[in-house]
Amino acid sequence: VAAGPTFTELLSARADADGFVPFDRWMDLALYGPSVGYYARRANPPGPAGDFYTAAQLHPIFAEVVAHHAASCVPSESGRLRWIEMGPGDGGLSARVVADLARDLGARRVEVALIDRSAAWLAGAEARVREVADPLGIPVTTAGSIAELGPVDGFVFANELLDAQPVERYRWTGSAWSELGVRLRDGTVVPAERPASRAGPGLDPAARWETGTIVERSPRAEAIVREVGDHLTAGRVVFADYGAEESELVAGHPHGTLAALRGHRPIEEFLAEPGSADLSAFVNFTRIRAAARAGGLREVGYRSQSETLVDWGIEALVARASGRLTRSEEKVRLQLAVKNLLFGFGTFRCLELGAGPAR
Ligand SMILES: C[S@@+](CC[C@H](N)C(=O)[O-])C[C@H]1O[C@@H](n2cnc3c(N)ncnc32)[C@H](O)[C@@H]1O
């Protein structure tokens, strides 16, 4: 089998005429580049043995709360619910949600769609969800984007999808913005910088910042939100992510928020081994909320994870789940997971949006 192009070959094909590669182009390749990107390779699924974990892997109670809320958004007693997860990771959350929805609504009222840009992760998630859905006769559809599904009606959930999108990075030099990126020097990828030729981070042109302030922007994340708005004809979408308002990000993170994780540990030298670490950056919710409005989505909630889970009924659901458990060890594990879900995701925000007429 002929080996595909290397990371360096793919990167040089994406360089501008002056050899500069903007940071978002490098990051896109490092995460999603064919055969070389972190998500294209699917080396380590999330969880204790992987590089990162999310609320989805913490405990089944998370899925139970999400499923309960999704079910409460179904239009009528007899209505069907299409559960749509974007970026389903290992498929564990969707598998549990589908089982919970089937129990609470009846399998005949449930459908599933899984959307992932990475074919490798999508196949893994589909297999995991089918283990639950197929025996219950629940239809499962897969797609690379919501646009591929066409107009859809349902409950869309995206956990840590937007923070996994490539970001442009800008640095304030004291008098202007410069754009951060990389260059190839003797076959090695090195950090590079050039005067910002694009619009820059789009902040108030009259304002001034500390020299060296770094600001990130993700037009890709904004485009995903607009795309959901364009295709969701009725129902809800929830984006749950690390992030904050733009003013909080600029003031609170003057060196930017880009993070590389391998084996749950932060890595400083992430340029050296692209594709071997997860990369993420906080979501700029000021831009994301504006993109949602531009996409015709109506804001239902913009809250912390704990406020969201409380509003979605976690208290009663924990009592119900605890009642089903027989071993005290399992009950303690449930309590610890709830504590973590409510108090361990301090910089996490859940943006819930509605499409079509209010339900
Ligand atoms: C950080 S992982 C989160 C996985 C999972 N939601 C969880 O909480 O464990 C991000 C996922 O989003 C997927 N992804 C990235 N861009 C996407 C896009 N434009 N559409 C759908 N999925 C995407 C990645 O391939 C990956 O599976």
Side-chain angles (χ1 to χ4, degrees):
V1 182
T6 63
F7 186 88
T8 311
E9 287 164 350
L10 290 167
L11 189 70
S12 63
R14 283 162 174 76
D16 284 348
D18 61 359
F20 183 85
V21 183
F23 191 82
D24 57 319
R25 243 181 263 164
W26 174 87
M27 187 169 167
D28 194 55
L29 212 50
L31 286 177
Y32 305 105
S35 315
V36 297
Y38 179 82
Y39 286 109
R41 292 165 54 183
R42 196 179 192 267
N44 302 325
D51 297 307
F52 62 93
Y53 74 88
T54 72
Q57 289 93 45
L58 260 185
H59 193 278
I61 190 67
F62 182 70
E64 196 160 340
V65 178
V66 173
H68 175 79
H69 180 63
S72 75
C73 298
V74 189
S76 69
E77 290 287 299
S78 59
R80 289 177 72 81
L81 174 62
R82 193 165 197 202
W83 163 262
I84 303 162
E85 189 174 5
M86 295 182 76
D90 63 1
L93 177 76
S94 274
R96 290 194 196 100
V97 166
V98 167
D100 290 343
L101 289 175
R103 181 191 62 206
D104 294 346
L105 294 177
R108 283 196 314 191
R109 292 177 60 196
V110 183
E111 287 174 32
V112 192
L114 304 171
I115 300 172
D116 205 300
R117 179 178 172 187
S118 156
W121 283 60
L122 186 58
E126 181 185 6
R128 180 120 178 230
V129 171
R130 281 196 182 280
E131 282 173 22
V132 176
D134 287 355
L136 294 167
I138 294 175
V140 180
T141 321
T142 59
S145 70
I146 196 160
E148 247 179 64
L149 287 181
V152 281
D153 172 344
F155 188 92
V156 183
F157 195 73
N159 193 55
E160 298 205 25
L161 165 80
L162 300 180
D163 71 1
Q165 300 308 315
V167 289
E168 299 172 357
R169 303 185 85 213
Y170 298 94
R171 194 177 72 85
W172 182 250
T173 62
S175 55
W177 289 104
S178 66
E179 180 166 18
L180 303 184
V182 301
R183 268 177 205 287
L184 277 168
R185 189 179 297 146
D186 304 326
T188 304
V189 180
V190 294
E193 194 164 337
R194 72 177 178 192
S197 54
R198 298 193 258 194
L203 300 178
D204 178 2
R208 291 291 175 269
W209 294 267
E210 288 271 312
T211 300
T213 297
I214 292 178
V215 171
E216 292 132 357
R217 267 207 67 179
S218 182
R220 192 69 77 90
E222 293 165 35
I224 289 176
V225 175
R226 282 194 305 271
E227 190 179 329
V228 172
D230 284 348
H231 293 89
L232 193 68
T233 51
R236 295 271 173 95
V237 53
V238 176
F239 293 103
D241 262 294
Y242 290 101
E245 291 288 349
E246 185 167 274
S247 55
E248 297 170 297
L249 288 173
V250 178
H253 300 272
H255 305 295
T257 64
L258 184 77
L261 279 183
R262 190 186 299 136
H264 301 272
R265 285 169 198 262
I267 302 182
E268 298 295 331
E269 302 296 318
F270 52 79
L271 286 184
E273 289 176 69
S276 71
D278 179 46
L279 301 164
S280 62
F282 277 24
V283 171
N284 179 330
F285 274 106
T286 305
R287 306 272 167 169
I288 291 301
R289 294 167 80 188
R293 284 193 294 276
L297 295 165
R298 152 178 61 81
E299 200 162 302
V300 176
Y302 171 61
R303 297 169 295 197
S304 66
Q305 177 160 293
S306 76
E307 286 167 322
T308 304
L309 295 179
V310 167
D311 182 60
W312 290 0
I314 191 168
E315 210 181 327
L317 293 166
V318 168
R320 182 175 83 170
S322 192
R324 285 198 304 259
L325 299 174
T326 47
R327 291 170 47 216
S328 52
E329 190 190 313
E330 290 174 327
K331 289 183 194 258
V332 172
R333 190 170 295 144
L334 170 63
Q335 295 302 337
L336 287 176
V338 171
K339 185 175 159 210
N340 198 349
L341 286 169
L342 294 182
F343 304 110
F345 286 75
T347 49
F348 218 75
R349 293 281 170 279
C350 298
L351 176 63
E352 183 169 6
L353 304 154
R359 281 179 182 170

